[in-house]
Amino acid sequence: LNKTAPCVRLLNATHQIGCQSSISGDTGVIHVVEKEEDLNWVLADGPHPPYMILLDGNLFNRKVLMQLKGTSRVSGLAVSIAKPNPPQGFSPGLKCPNDGFGVYSKDYGPQYAHCNTTVWNPLGSGISYEDFDFPIFLLEDANETQVIKQCYQDHNVPRDGSGPEYPLCAMQLFSHMHAVTSTVTCMRRNSIQNTFSINPETVCDPLLDYNVWSTLQPINSSGKVDREKEVIIVATRVGISLILLLTSLCSIHVLFMCDLFFFLLQETFDYIGSSRMVYDMEKDKFPLRLDNIHSFVELNQVALRNGSVLWMHTDPVSWMNESVQTQVRNLLDILSDSSVGANVTLREVGYSQPLPPSSFQRFLRARHIPGVVLTDHQAAFQNRYYQSMYDTPENIRMQYPEGLSPEETLEYVTDTAKSLAEVATVVARALYRLAGGANNTSAIQADPKTVTRMLYGFLIKMNNSWFQSIIKPDLKGILGDVPQHYVAVSSPVNTTYLVQYVLANLTGTVVNLTKEECMNPDKAPNTEKELYDYAWVQGSLEPNSTTRVPYCVRSTVHLTKALSPAFELRQWGSTEYSTWTESRWKEIRARIFLVASKELEIITLVVGIAILVFSLLATHFINAKADVLFSIPRDPGAVAY
C-alpha cells in the first residue's frame, strides 16, 4: 500500500497524543466496517481477533474510535476517505482551539477564558488530541481501498453467521514511534543521548517552521527601527486568508507605506509562530519592537462568508482603555468606510464577545495593542471541516468547467476567486488609509486573476507554470502535486517557500544583476543587502521552447524561525509557550497478505521440527557409518595376461 498517510505521535509538556504500532508492526485479519452494526463482529462475534479494520470515512468519529480504543480485539485502523464530504461536518480538533495559550486567563478577562462565552468549534470532537495504542492510517488512493475490499470479499466475509475459512486476508501496519510520555521526557532523553552517547539517537524533535515577513518600506533586517516610528502589522496564518493578504499587497505595493506583513506558521499548535515573533520583539532579536506597533489587522477565516458579510472582532478587555478604544474605533470606521461600493459588508461583533482564536491574542498578552480580527463567522466557525482532511477546495466551492487543460485551469477565474478578490480590495483600501493615504481609494482594486492563480497553486496543484517561474532552480523539487500544509521539524515545508517567493514576485522588483551577483550581493555595488533579499529565479519558458529566462528579484521578504521559545529557554514543561514535539520513527509502511490458520501454522511448525530432527539424526548416523557407507575401493594393482 503506497498511498497512505499515517497518524504519528505528538507530545507536549504533559502528555502524548496520536498513534503508533508495536516495534515489529501490528497485524490483524481485515474486517470492513461500513455501518455501525458491522462493529459487533469486531468487538464481540468474530472468531479471529485481533482485527484490522477498514473503516468507512463517515464512521470515523469519536463514538466509534472510543469503542475501538477500549478493546484488545483491534490491532489497527485503515480509514477510507468519505465521498462526498460528511454532510454533518467533521472536525477532529478541539471545541476550544489553543485553549490556555491565548490572551484570556484568570488574570485577563477570566469570564472569556476556556471559551466560556463562545464555543468556537462546536463540531470539534478532539480525536486529534487522543492517544491510541494502535496504528491508524488514512488510505488516500481509492484503487488501493478497493483492492483491500476485494481481498476481504474473497476471503473474509462471514458465511451463514459463522466465521470464514482460512486462508484469511490480513493487513500489517508499521508505524512504531520512539518517543513516549511527554516532551519533558523525550527532550531529557535527547539531552542524555547527546551528552553520553558516541552515536546519539534523537527520539523527538520540536515542531519547527519559518514565519514569512515583509515590509513595504525596506528596513534593516539586522538592525533596529527607531522607537518613534510606527507600523501597522497585517498578519495571517497560512490558509485561504494568506491568498487575500498576498493579493492585498499586490494591490498596494506600489504605494509608499510603512506596513509590516506576517505570515505565521504552526499557529494550530498553541501559537508557535506568533509567540516566537512576540518573544523576538521583546528580546530585541527582531528589527521591530512592540512599541513600534501602531495597530494590528489579522485576516482569519474569511472564505465561507454568509452572503457578503465579514465580521470585525475586537478585544473587549483592552476596549476599556480609553486611548485604545479611540484607536480601535478609528480602525473599525476605516475598515467599514473601505467597504462602501464593494460587495462586502463589514459588521462589528460587539464588545461582549472575546476575540476568536487568533495570532493577535499572543500580541495582546504582551501589550495593549489596538487591533481587529476579520472573519467570516460572528460566533461559531462557519467551517464545518476545521482542521480536517475534508477542508479541501471543494469546501470553499471552487469549481472548474470540465475539459480544461492545466494551464487553462490555472488562469480560469472562479466565482470563489471573484468573491475573495472583493475582500482583498476592501483590505487593501483600508490598509492604504490606515497608513496615511488619501481618502479616495477607488483606484485600488485587487485582481481576481491573481487570486485564482494562487487558489489553484496553493490548494490544487503546486507544480504549475507560474510557481515554476518564480522559484529558485534548486527548489524546483518542492513542487509536488499536493501542497504540504503540515508542520515541519527542520527545514521549511514547500508551502512556506512558496509564500516567500509568491510574495517576492508580487511586491519585489526585477533588477539587472548577473546570476553570480544575485546569489552573492556582496560582490555587486549598491545592493543594500541589509535592506533587501535577492533571489535568482527560474523565469518563464521561452515561446515554443524548453529553455527558461531566469532573472534576479529584489524584495523585502524575509524568513524568521518559528520555533517555540520554550526550546530555546529549555523550559520543556512550560505553560507559557507551546511545547509540542513530534516523535521520530524508523519505518512507516503498510501491506496486505493472506494468512493461514493457527492450526496449519502449528502443523507446519511441528512437521518442520520433525523434519529437522530426522535430518539431524540421519546426518549423525550417516556420519558415524561413513567408513562403511563410503569405503574407498582398493587399488586393483598389476593385471596379468
Side-chain angles (χ1 to χ4, degrees):
L1 304 175
N2 298 313
K3 300 291 183 66
T4 62
C7 163
V8 299
R9 171 78 69 226
L10 295 174
L11 312 100
N12 67 10
T14 56
H15 60 287
Q16 63 184 29
I17 65 172
C19 326
Q20 73 166 359
S21 73
S22 61
I23 194 167
S24 57
D26 289 331
T27 303
V29 173
I30 295 173
H31 190 75
V32 176
V33 175
E34 296 179 325
K35 54 185 183 299
E36 284 200 43
E37 291 76 17
D38 296 336
L39 286 172
N40 294 332
W41 185 264
V42 173
L43 299 175
D45 301 336
H48 305 120
Y51 284 96
M52 190 68 69
I53 297 176
L54 175 59
L55 187 69
D56 184 271
N58 288 298
L59 293 176
F60 188 67
N61 55 52
R62 186 175 186 86
K63 177 184 175 183
V64 170
L65 286 174
M66 290 303 102
Q67 289 184 69
L68 302 180
K69 184 178 179 179
T71 178
S72 60
R73 291 174 59 89
V74 174
S75 59
L77 196 60
V79 183
S80 61
I81 296 179
K83 298 285 186 176
N85 292 356
Q88 72 277 11
F90 173 75
S91 174
L94 299 172
K95 293 183 184 296
C96 188
N98 291 356
D99 186 24
F101 288 86
V103 69
Y104 302 112
S105 64
K106 62 182 179 61
D107 300 318
Y108 188 99
Q111 67 272 33
Y112 305 119
H114 313 301
C115 297
N116 283 337
T117 59
T118 306
V119 178
W120 298 106
N121 186 30
L123 291 175
S125 64
I127 57 176
S128 284
Y129 294 83
E130 289 289 338
D131 181 34
F132 298 95
D133 59 358
F134 53 77
I136 301 178
F137 279 52
L138 176 68
L139 301 176
E140 300 179 306
D141 188 341
N143 292 328
E144 289 190 351
T145 302
Q146 190 55 44
V147 168
I148 299 171
K149 287 185 176 181
Q150 189 61 52
C151 188
Y152 167 80
Q153 292 288 341
D154 293 343
H155 299 277
N156 295 10
V157 175
R159 308 295 179 187
D160 301 322
S162 60
E165 296 182 358
Y166 285 94
L168 299 176
C169 190
M171 181 185 294
Q172 188 173 31
L173 302 179
F174 294 85
S175 62
H176 182 66
M177 302 285 121
H178 295 343
V180 293
T181 308
S182 67
T183 289
V184 176
T185 300
C186 81
M187 292 301 292
R188 185 174 63 245
R189 290 177 179 175
N190 285 350
S191 181
I192 293 172
Q193 283 277 332
N194 292 329
T195 303
F196 298 106
S197 177
I198 298 176
N199 297 306
E201 184 169 342
T202 302
V203 295
C204 72
D205 300 283
L207 297 185
L208 162 69
D209 210 305
Y210 288 78
N211 292 324
V212 184
W213 66 276
S214 175
T215 55
L216 292 184
Q217 178 180 331
I219 62 174
N220 190 335
S221 60
S222 59
K224 287 285 179 295
V225 173
D226 292 341
R227 289 187 180 274
E228 64 270 14
K229 288 190 176 181
E230 292 185 321
V231 299
I232 303 164
I233 289 185
V234 191
T236 186
R237 61 181 69 187
V238 172
I240 293 296
S241 49
L242 150 75
I243 293 167
L244 285 183
L245 183 48
L246 286 168
T247 310
S248 302
L249 288 177
C250 183
S251 306
I252 59 176
H253 78 277
V254 295
L255 306 170
F256 183 83
M257 299 174 61
C258 188
D259 284 12
L260 180 64
F261 301 92
F262 288 157
F263 299 86
L264 299 165
L265 275 295
Q266 306 200 68
E267 293 298 87
T268 297
F269 294 98
D270 299 336
Y271 302 121
I272 293 177
S274 54
S275 63
R276 181 53 188 253
M277 190 66 73
V278 172
Y279 175 82
D280 287 345
M281 288 182 177
E282 290 178 321
K283 302 298 181 182
D284 285 339
K285 296 182 178 181
F286 193 76
L288 291 173
R289 303 174 180 88
L290 290 171
D291 294 340
N292 294 119
I293 301 176
H294 172 272
S295 54
F296 197 107
V297 177
E298 179 173 350
L299 290 172
N300 208 292
Q301 301 180 52
V302 292
L304 297 172
R305 286 185 292 157
N306 186 5
S308 63
V309 177
L310 207 60
W311 294 94
M312 299 183 291
H313 298 259
T314 56
D315 173 41
V317 178
S318 59
W319 179 266
M320 304 305 292
N321 182 301
E322 189 172 337
S323 62
V324 172
Q325 182 181 140
T326 302
Q327 290 175 286
V328 172
R329 183 72 266 163
N330 178 60
L331 189 58
L332 295 173
D333 290 342
I334 288 176
L335 282 165
S336 297
D337 292 345
S338 299
S339 67
V340 175
N343 188 26
V344 179
T345 304
L346 285 171
R347 292 182 181 171
E348 297 179 30
V349 171
Y351 316 120
S352 61
Q353 183 174 288
L355 287 168
S358 52
S359 304
F360 181 39
Q361 291 200 29
R362 290 300 302 196
F363 285 81
L364 276 179
R365 282 177 70 126
R367 182 173 174 268
H368 281 264
I369 298 171
V372 62
V373 178
L374 300 178
T375 74
D376 57 19
H377 56 90
Q378 180 181 9
F381 295 161
Q382 289 278 96
N383 187 359
R384 293 177 296 125
Y385 304 104
Y386 181 71
Q387 292 181 358
S388 86
M389 56 193 170
Y390 301 112
D391 196 1
T392 60
E394 291 77 18
N395 188 31
I396 59 170
R397 299 181 285 274
M398 282 182 62
Q399 297 176 336
Y400 296 91
E402 294 184 1
L404 295 182
S405 67
E407 199 63 29
E408 291 171 335
T409 308
L410 173 67
E411 301 294 337
Y412 182 82
V413 179
T414 62
D415 291 340
T416 300
K418 294 175 184 176
S419 175
L420 292 176
E422 292 170 349
V423 178
T425 297
V426 172
V427 172
R429 291 173 178 177
L431 293 178
Y432 177 57
R433 288 190 56 193
L434 284 169
N439 287 335
N440 184 11
T441 57
S442 59
I444 299 176
Q445 189 73 38
D447 180 18
K449 181 161 285 190
T450 302
V451 177
T452 207
R453 293 168 83 184
M454 284 193 282
L455 284 171
Y456 180 76
F458 281 110
L459 301 180
I460 296 177
K461 188 178 178 64
M462 281 186 144
N463 196 10
N464 61 72
S465 59
W466 184 41
F467 280 4
Q468 290 168 3
S469 68
I470 63 174
I471 65 169
K472 293 180 178 180
D474 59 344
L475 289 178
K476 60 184 178 182
I478 70 172
L479 295 179
D481 285 341
V482 182
Q484 166 68 7
H485 300 308
Y486 180 63
V487 297
V489 293
S490 53
S491 60
V493 297
N494 52 14
T495 300
T496 305
Y497 279 125
L498 285 171
V499 171
Q500 178 187 9
Y501 288 104
V502 168
L503 183 55
N505 176 267
L506 295 178
T507 63
T509 306
V510 177
V511 291
N512 186 25
L513 295 178
T514 66
K515 179 179 180 180
E516 290 70 26
E517 290 173 334
C518 189
M519 298 178 69
N520 299 282
D522 291 335
K523 298 181 179 179
N526 304 319
T527 53
E528 298 179 296
K529 65 182 183 64
E530 297 83 8
L531 302 180
Y532 298 101
D533 180 78
Y534 292 83
W536 184 258
V537 300
Q538 291 195 117
S540 302
L541 292 170
E542 293 183 328
N544 302 318
S545 172
T546 58
T547 305
R548 295 188 177 275
V549 184
Y551 56 91
C552 185
V553 175
R554 185 186 71 183
S555 71
T556 59
V557 182
H558 307 278
L559 297 182
T560 183
K561 186 177 290 187
L563 173 69
S564 171
F567 297 100
E568 183 166 308
L569 299 170
R570 296 178 66 86
Q571 296 175 0
W572 305 320
S574 172
T575 56
E576 168 71 13
Y577 300 111
S578 170
T579 54
W580 286 105
T581 54
E582 182 183 80
S583 173
R584 287 202 181 184
W585 60 81
K586 279 283 193 282
E587 180 182 36
I588 288 181
R589 62 187 177 94
R591 62 181 182 137
I592 62 173
F593 52 90
L594 295 181
V595 62
S597 67
K598 294 294 183 183
E599 292 79 6
L600 180 57
E601 290 178 349
I602 293 173
I603 292 172
T604 303
L605 177 62
V606 171
V607 171
I609 292 174
I611 292 174
L612 174 63
V613 172
F614 175 78
S615 300
L616 292 174
L617 292 174
T619 302
H620 175 73
F621 173 77
I622 292 171
N623 186 59
K625 302 296 182 179
D627 56 334
V628 176
L629 296 174
F630 307 107
S631 58
I632 300 174
R634 292 178 297 172
D635 187 356
V639 178
Y641 294 94

